[in-house]
């Protein structure tokens, strides 16, 4: 019944209804249904094992990066997609563009950072999700859907590199799928090896003492209230004992490759993302801030891209060379663009009317450019797609049925993508 | 003669104040006679108070951001006074730790950043912390900030405006959200999608109140040379068309007749003279605000309108003062309700409504009767924050215990919450008794200026500590600059970026657990605290037994005595051979013991 085939909403609901009535009529069959893999209900066929999600926080100026115009602060360069140019700020990455697809006419209504980032991280407009106080982020949904692949000791399936604070909330899915934040990739495993310097006798003593203290405390106090921290604790211990920790050690990377990513925060973040993708970590998010260039647009964009360009180019190059692209989905997006016509000022304001995004890998097509903007980069010439549709595409490409539903903490069915959101079929 | 009289008056004032406090302490009993409990609505029989020692810990954490010191715990346990909790509450409110901890909270409310370009280090933090310490009325604080001009050395309250560099549109957003609970960010760019009363024009009408101030970092048009004060060119569009022409004419004349005649060296000298060491906020009554141009045509200046839609009279008066008066007026209870809601949440975990910065016409208030009571009490107490806190923490509602069984109804039970970043940092230091061994307090001398204690007798009795530039020793979280460095302990535990109102994160993460188990701070503290000649080693030496170490550790870390049964179980489980009386002090054992205590559920939560 719940196969890997993509199915429409109506079919799903009638299927569910059948399951319920079957449960009532024949308890033994109901038991079989209860043992069905819950992830089948929300997944579709996809070769993707890893999603690398680059979140440009603050509103990335589209005319200064992916959609050059006469008013851009930078000159344009050719890319590896015929007839398509990007700004010189991304000239190294331009050579890798043909592995991806460029969407130049994304649009949104949300021009404020908090609403915008909420949309980027959950696929929902804040105003549309107000009936759900704790909806999960995209990453935690992907992590949840990959659970059946998860064997052995705990290892985070949802990792966020740089800038803790954006994304990562697992909402009603539970803290197990919450984003694991790594603020400094160079010291990612710093706090995992601390205990290994102690003798096993001391470690045992510590564990025992802690056990006694907590057990005793819970005898006198309602353990439910402390569950969140307790769950975290158990996951942490499991994580510490994991033999997959070496993935965090950037020192194990060949020196030349590491240098090519660049020894910068962004460079390290991309390098770590690559290593995690090699290990098929389901969701890897990189947050890059600093894009909110109301002032000093030119200098700030140049500064970010100075570190971003080599890192991005190297990542895309490596994914291609190693063949990992067929199982890795790459997404780059921001909450909105910036005003193309700055009136001569060296600063651009928020511009959700039109902006750019990149998506590629997995079973998606390659080298496509969707949408064209007008001479200034202010309006779409023909088609445009809502950011929701772009993110829904990410779901679909990652192997998640955007129309599937989960049960939220209040018992209401929660649709993974907002109602009536189509994904961009041209990309498949 | 006058001096004697004024001295007598002052001491009389003090005595009266002390008497008033004593009076309020005795008349306000720990039962349903507390007006808050009457308004709370839950019958007194249904609320069970937590035991005193538990409440003492909760009080210390919530008011001072730190667990009690073991000697304080000892004193409290021996204290026989019936109203000792309220007495301690008043003491805590007078302590510098209150100003430090709540000062940091106010900082997060106003997105305060310790290190701002072209601003004195920790200027805003200093202002907020000192104001709290002195028990300055909240309404006064807000009025000071909203009508401030100049630079922070002359007038530290101007930090509020300088946080957004005087930008009226930015300021309007935060003024609306922080003081009025009105979140209308969307209306900056277009009419509000569902609050149909609030159009873009209304947004700009609010911003118009703040359009006459402007930030200046460099004087381009020297007043002496031009004979009049002229703002930077980039805000000339805030003038009326006529005033713009006027200003332009004056500047052009000056450029033509004077500036062009200067040598390059003279020009440079003029430029250098115009550079200000610190940015400041200047004021010009002629300025206003225009909405964004329509089809490239500039629009007229917008008339200011209050958030409730009424129109002010601003002719000839500083608009900001008009706004401040309206906001803090007696009739405007909303201003007090919004603030009281935040404070109530901090102390009880309950929300009257949420989010705090988005109070709408259709927002359902949880327990309207109580909110009204608190707002009125706050007004009666002259909007003094310490009085409000004292009022709340002396109620039974605040003192409710945590649930034993499955029930999680927070009307009856206090829901435990993990220590926040500041509380955790401070408590770790206290728990491991590091400061008393290394005399850290002596190194941490604050640089806050002296304040005159004029705001009732809950005014602070000690100078609060503040961040110091280039400082590398930290005795308390208040000395760490904000936003907290990204890799710092505070940041791991959620200390916000100060980009948005109250942006500290409270959700627990895996990384936090790992830091508590294996992090640098834990390792260093447990090692340092248990070295030879440490506090814990002294405990052992004085009694030749590990039991004393355990007792001292329980008191210091968990704020309670060790029970016999607990000790028996601990001793049984950990190497009985090792713990026989003749054994030497083992710093490894003490460190392990301390480590388990600070990683225990009991330590890491407020309950």
């Amino acid at each position: 019944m719940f196969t890997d085939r993509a199915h429409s909403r109506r079919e799903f609901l009638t299927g569910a209804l059948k399951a319920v009535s079957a449960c009532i009529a024949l308890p033994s069959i109901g038991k079989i249904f209860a043992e069905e893999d819950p992830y089948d209900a929300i997944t579709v066929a996809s070769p993707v094992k890893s999603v690398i999600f680059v979140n440009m926080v603050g509103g990335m100026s589209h005319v200064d990066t992916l959609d050059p115009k006469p008013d851009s602060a930078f000159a344009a360069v050719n890319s590896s997609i015929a007839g398509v140019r990007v700004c010189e700020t991304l000239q190294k990455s331009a050579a890798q563009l043909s592995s991806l697809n460029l969407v130049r006419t994304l649009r949104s209504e949300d021009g404020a950072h908090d609403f915008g980032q909420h949309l980027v991280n959950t696929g929902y407009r804040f105003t549309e999700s107000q009936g759900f106080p704790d909806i999960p982020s995209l990453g935690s949904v992907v992590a949840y859907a990959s659970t059946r692949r998860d064997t052995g000791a705990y290892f985070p399936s949802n990792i966020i590199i740089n800038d803790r604070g954006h994304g990562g909330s697992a909402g009603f899915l539970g803290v197990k799928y919450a984003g694991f934040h790594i603020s400094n990739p160079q010291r990612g495993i710093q706090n995992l090896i601390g205990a290994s310097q102690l003798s096993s006798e001391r470690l045992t003593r510590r564990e025992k003492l802690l056990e006694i203290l907590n057990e005793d405390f819970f005898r006198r106090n309602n353990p439910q209230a402390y569950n969140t921290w307790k769950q975290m604790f158990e996951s942490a211990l499991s994580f510490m004992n994991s033999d997959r920790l070496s993935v965090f050690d950037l020192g194990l990377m060949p020196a030349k490759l590491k240098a090519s990513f660049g020894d910068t925060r962004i460079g390290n973040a991309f390098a770590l993302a690559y290593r995690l993708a090699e290990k098929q970590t389901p969701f890897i998010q990189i947050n890059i801030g600093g894009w909110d260039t109301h002032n000093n647009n030119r200098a700030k964009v140049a500064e970010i891209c100075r570190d971003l360009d080599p890192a991005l180019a190297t990542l895309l190059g490596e994914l291609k060379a190693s063949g990992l692209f067929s199982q890795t989905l790459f997404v780059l997006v921001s909450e909105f663009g910036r005003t193309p016509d700055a009136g001569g000022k060296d600063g651009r304001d928020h511009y959700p009317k039109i902006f750019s995004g990149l998506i590629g890998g997995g079973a998606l097509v390659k080298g496509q450019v969707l949408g064209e903007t007008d001479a200034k980069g202010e309006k779409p010439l023909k088609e445009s797609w809502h950011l929701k549709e772009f993110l829904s595409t990410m779901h679909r490409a990652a192997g998640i049925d955007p129309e599937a539903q989960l049960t939220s903490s209040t018992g209401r069915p929660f649709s993974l993508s907002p109602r009536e959101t189509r994904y961009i079929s041209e990309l498949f | 003669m006058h001096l004697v009289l004024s001295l007598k008056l002052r001491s009389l004032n003090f005595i009266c104040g002390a008497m008033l406090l004593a009076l309020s302490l005795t008349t306000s009993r720990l039962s349903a006679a507390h007006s808050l409990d009457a308004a709370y609505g839950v019958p007194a029989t249904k609320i069970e108070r937590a035991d005193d020692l538990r409440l003492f810990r909760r009080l210390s954490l919530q008011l001072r951001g730190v667990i009690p010191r073991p000697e304080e715990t000892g004193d409290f346990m021996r204290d026989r006074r019936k109203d000792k909790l309220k007495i301690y509450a008043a003491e805590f409110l007078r302590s510098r730790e209150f100003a430090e901890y709540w000062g940091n909270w106010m900082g997060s409310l106003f997105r305060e950043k310790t290190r701002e370009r072209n601003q004195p280090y920790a200027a805003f933090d200093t202002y907020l912390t000192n104001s709290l310490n002195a028990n300055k009325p909240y309404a006064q604080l807000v009025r000071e900030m909203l009508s401030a001009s100049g630079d922070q050395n002359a007038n530290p309250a101007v930090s509020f405006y300088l946080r957004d560099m005087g930008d009226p549109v930015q300021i309007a957003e935060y003024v609306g959200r922080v003081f009025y609970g009105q979140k209308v960010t969307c209306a900056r760019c277009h009419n509000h999608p569902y609050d149909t009363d609030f159009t873009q024009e209304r947004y700009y009408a609010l911003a118009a109140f703040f359009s006459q101030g402007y930030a200046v970092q460099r004087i381009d048009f020297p007043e002496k040379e031009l004979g009049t004060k002229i703002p930077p060119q980039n805000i000339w569009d805030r003038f009326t068309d006529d005033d713009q022409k006027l200003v332009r004419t004056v500047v052009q004349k000056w450029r033509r007749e004077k500036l062009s005649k200067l040598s390059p060296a003279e020009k440079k000298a003029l430029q250098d003279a115009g550079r200000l060491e610190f940015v400041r906020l200047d004021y010009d009554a002629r300025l206003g605000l225009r909405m964004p141009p329509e089809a490239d045509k500039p629009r007229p200046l917008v008339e200011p309108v209050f958030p409730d839609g009424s129109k002010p009279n601003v002719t000839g008066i500083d608009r900001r003062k008009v706004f401040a008066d309206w906001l803090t007026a007696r009739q405007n209870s909303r201003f007090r309700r919004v603030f009281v809601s935040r404070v109530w949440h901090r102390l009880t975990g309950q929300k009257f409504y949420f989010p705090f910065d988005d109070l709408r016409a259709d927002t359902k208030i949880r327990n309207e009767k109580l909110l009204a009571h608190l707002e009125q009490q706050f007004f009666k107490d002259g909007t003094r924050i310490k009085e409000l806190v004292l009022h709340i923490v002396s109620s039974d509602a605040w003192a409710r215990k945590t649930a034993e069984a499955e029930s999680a109804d927070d009307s009856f039970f206090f829901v435990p919450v993990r220590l926040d970043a500041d509380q955790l940092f401070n408590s770790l230091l206290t728990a491991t008794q590091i400061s008393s061994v290394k005399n850290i307090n002596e190194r941490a001398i604050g640089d806050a200026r002296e304040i005159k204690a004029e705001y009732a007798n809950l005014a602070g009795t000690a100078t609060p500590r503040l961040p110091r530039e280039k400082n590398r020793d930290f005795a308390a979280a208040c000395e760490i600059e904000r936003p907290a460095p990204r890799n710092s302990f505070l940041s791991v535990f959620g200390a916000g970026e100060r980009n948005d109102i109250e942006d500290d994160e409270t959700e627990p993460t895996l990384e936090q657990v790992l830091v508590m188990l294996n992090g640098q701070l834990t390792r260093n503290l447990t090692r340092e605290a248990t070295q030879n000649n440490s506090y814990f080693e002294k405990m052992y030496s004085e009694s030749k037994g590990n039991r004393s170490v355990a007792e001292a550790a329980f008191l210091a870390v968990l704020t309670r005595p060790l029970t016999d049964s607990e000790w028996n179980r601990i001793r049984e489980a950990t190497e009985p051979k090792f713990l026989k009386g003749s054994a030497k002090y083992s710093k490894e054992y003490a460190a392990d013991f301390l480590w388990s205590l600070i990683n225990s559920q009991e330590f890491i939560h407020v309950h």
Side-chain angles (χ1 to χ4, degrees), chain A residues 109 112 114-115 127 130 154 156 163-165 169-170 175 178 180-184 187 190-195 197-198 201-202 205-210 212-214 216-222 224-226 228-230 232-233 235-237 239-240 265, chain B residues 54 183 185-186 194 360 402-407 416 418 486-487 491 493-497 500 505 507-515 517-520 523 554 560 566 569-570 573-575 588-589 591-593 595-597 599-602 604-605 607:
Chain A
E109 297 91 353
D114 43 4
F115 287 0
T127 49
Q130 289 210 294
Y154 171 84
D163 285 2
R164 43 104 264 148
S169 165
V175 288
F180 179 76
H181 288 279
I182 298 178
S183 63
N184 185 349
R187 289 153 78 173
Q190 174 192 20
N191 292 322
L192 293 169
I193 57 168
Q197 295 154 0
L198 298 172
E201 185 188 297
R202 287 191 69 185
R205 181 162 63 194
R206 287 187 170 196
E207 254 183 72
K208 267 222 187 94
L209 281 169
L210 195 49
I212 293 174
L213 289 169
N214 286 337
D216 203 62
F217 185 63
F218 289 138
R219 233 176 303 213
R220 295 175 281 119
N221 296 272
N222 174 18
Q224 287 270 25
Y226 305 90
T228 328
W229 189 254
K230 204 149 92 56
M232 274 299 172
F233 197 79
S235 300
L237 288 178
F239 190 24
M240 274 164 56
R265 274 184 79 104
Chain B
R54 225 3 129 103
K183 188 166 183 172
T185 321
C186 318
Y194 33 92
R360 310 224 216 105
T402 56
E404 255 149 46
E406 297 293 298
S407 168
R418 201 211 61 216
R486 228 180 237 125
N487 294 331
S491 182
F493 278 87
E497 294 283 298
D500 199 8
E505 290 220 346
E507 204 184 293
T509 67
L510 197 77
E511 192 192 357
Q512 289 167 1
V513 178
L514 292 171
V515 162
L517 295 176
N518 307 316
Q520 274 200 93
R523 261 185 289 144
F554 261 63
R560 65 175 176 84
E566 280 174 322
R569 223 168 319 126
I570 289 170
T574 59
E575 293 132 347
E588 285 86 17
Y589 173 76
D592 290 344
F593 195 67
W595 179 92
S596 349
L597 281 171
N599 274 291
S600 70
Q601 297 279 343
E602 187 172 352
I604 216 155
H605 288 90
H607 45 75

Side-chain angles (χ1 to χ4, degrees), chain B residues 337 341 350-356 358-369 371:
Chain B
R337 281 162 72 96
S341 298
Q350 291 176 355
K351 297 170 179 157
F352 283 115
Y353 67 93
F354 195 76
F356 298 122
D358 201 4
L359 181 59
R360 310 224 216 105
D362 58 354
T363 302
K364 203 166 173 300
I365 305 283
R366 176 187 175 179
N367 203 342
E368 166 63 44
K369 188 166 170 214
L371 180 56

Side-chain angles (χ1 to χ4, degrees), chain A residues 337-404:
Chain A
R338 302 200 82 84
T339 47
D341 185 356
K345 262 194 332 168
D346 181 24
R348 301 191 196 276
D349 296 326
H350 305 176
Y351 199 79
K353 288 196 191 137
I354 217 78
F355 53 104
S356 304
L358 288 169
I359 185 168
L364 292 181
V365 301
K366 281 199 262 272
Q368 292 299 308
V369 179
L370 267 66
E372 206 185 323
T373 52
D374 65 358
K376 281 193 161 182
E378 287 176 328
K379 288 197 273 278
L381 286 181
K382 288 205 210 97
E383 288 178 291
S384 67
W385 290 270
H386 199 285
L387 184 53
K388 289 188 290 186
E389 292 170 321
F390 183 78
L391 295 168
S392 197
T393 310
M394 190 196 88
H395 266 136
R396 192 72 170 60
I400 299 187
D401 180 0
E403 290 183 9

Side-chain angles (χ1 to χ4, degrees), chain B residues 59-322:
Chain B
L59 195 69
S60 181
L61 279 166
Q62 289 184 340
L63 267 53
R64 299 190 303 179
V66 70
I67 52 175
R69 292 190 294 279
E71 57 272 23
E72 289 176 326
T73 308
D75 286 343
F76 183 82
M77 289 196 298
R78 286 183 290 272
D79 194 322
R80 291 271 163 257
R81 292 174 291 184
K82 266 229 242 60
D83 50 5
K84 61 180 176 180
L85 268 171
K86 189 160 181 181
I87 294 173
Y88 271 94
E91 273 313 299
F92 288 168
L93 288 168
R94 287 193 199 97
S95 73
R96 67 178 176 181
E97 283 86 357
F98 173 79
E100 291 163 355
Y101 180 55
W102 282 66
N104 180 57
W105 170 65
M106 287 217 115
S108 83
L109 205 56
F110 299 120
R111 300 165 295 133
E112 171 265 323
K113 291 188 177 184
T114 312
R115 192 185 287 275
E116 287 263 53
R117 263 179 40 203
N118 301 318
Q119 297 186 32
Y121 187 80
F124 205 0
D125 193 354
T126 307
Y127 172 69
L128 293 173
T129 304
N130 284 349
S131 299
L132 259 176
N133 197 31
N135 201 16
K136 181 183 296 179
Y138 177 62
Q140 182 173 340
L141 179 81
V142 173
R143 277 196 304 270
E144 279 177 13
M145 294 195 297
L146 290 179
S147 34
S149 296
D151 71 49
Q152 281 134 320
N153 283 323
N155 185 0
V158 80
S159 302
F160 177 77
Y161 280 136
L162 290 179
R163 173 65 181 83
D164 292 305
M165 292 304 273
D167 180 344
V169 176
Q170 279 285 93
I171 289 165
E173 165 162 359
Y174 291 104
V175 163
R177 286 169 62 193
V178 172
F179 300 128
Y180 203 62
Q182 187 174 59
K183 188 166 183 172
V184 285
T185 321
C186 318
R188 278 171 83 151
C189 304
H190 53 72
N191 294 340
H192 205 280
Y194 33 92
D195 190 345
T196 47
D197 281 339
F198 215 87
T199 58
Q200 188 186 21
E201 203 167 312
R202 279 284 299 280
Y203 190 103
Y204 274 78
L206 174 61
F209 279 105
F210 312 109
S211 60
Q212 296 171 324
Y214 57 94
V216 178
Q217 284 187 226
R218 194 188 68 204
I219 314 279
D220 289 324
F221 311 114
E223 202 173 335
K224 227 171 47 169
E225 308 273 332
L226 286 117
T228 174
K229 189 156 96 175
I230 294 181
Q233 191 156 352
N234 65 324
I235 65 151
W236 284 359
D237 64 335
R238 288 206 228 152
F239 281 121
T240 58
D241 290 340
D242 289 339
D243 280 333
Q244 264 188 71
K245 279 205 196 88
L246 207 70
V247 162
R248 201 167 286 133
T249 312
V250 171
V251 169
Q252 277 168 355
K253 182 160 183 262
W254 171 67
R255 280 194 174 128
R256 205 173 46 235
E257 294 176 9
K258 300 255 181 68
L259 193 66
S260 57
K261 301 214 165 91
L262 294 179
S263 69
E266 285 173 325
K267 273 196 192 140
K268 185 168 184 306
L270 199 64
Q271 252 181 23
D272 289 339
R275 253 182 265 280
L276 297 173
E277 190 197 354
F278 295 123
V279 66
R280 68 168 195 234
L281 193 84
D282 279 352
Y283 168 82
D284 192 322
R286 297 172 293 175
L287 295 171
L289 190 67
R290 295 169 198 268
M291 288 180 65
E294 206 158 41
D296 286 333
K297 272 206 279 280
R299 311 241 280 253
L301 295 181
V302 176
E303 287 301 314
V305 173
F306 289 126
D308 66 1
S310 59
K311 295 199 165 63
N313 173 18
V314 290
T315 344
I317 325 171
D318 185 342
R319 287 181 186 178
R320 305 166 310 156
K321 292 199 170 70
V322 173

Side-chain angles (χ1 to χ4, degrees), chain A residues 50 143 146-147 149-159 175-180 182 188-189 192 234-249 272 275-284, chain B residues 510:
Chain A
S50 245
S146 325
T147 309
R149 279 200 278 135
D150 211 5
T151 50
Y154 171 84
F155 192 89
S157 44
N158 177 6
I159 297 188
V175 288
K176 181 173 178 207
Y177 304 104
F180 179 76
I182 298 178
I189 52 171
L192 293 169
E234 279 147 25
S235 300
L237 288 178
S238 175
F239 190 24
M240 274 164 56
N241 297 319
S242 167
D243 54 2
R244 292 148 73 181
L245 291 186
S246 59
V247 70
F248 291 106
D249 192 351
L272 180 56
R275 284 176 70 75
L276 289 167
E278 277 183 314
K279 297 287 185 230
Q280 302 181 2
T281 306
F283 195 83
I284 306 152
Chain B
L510 197 77

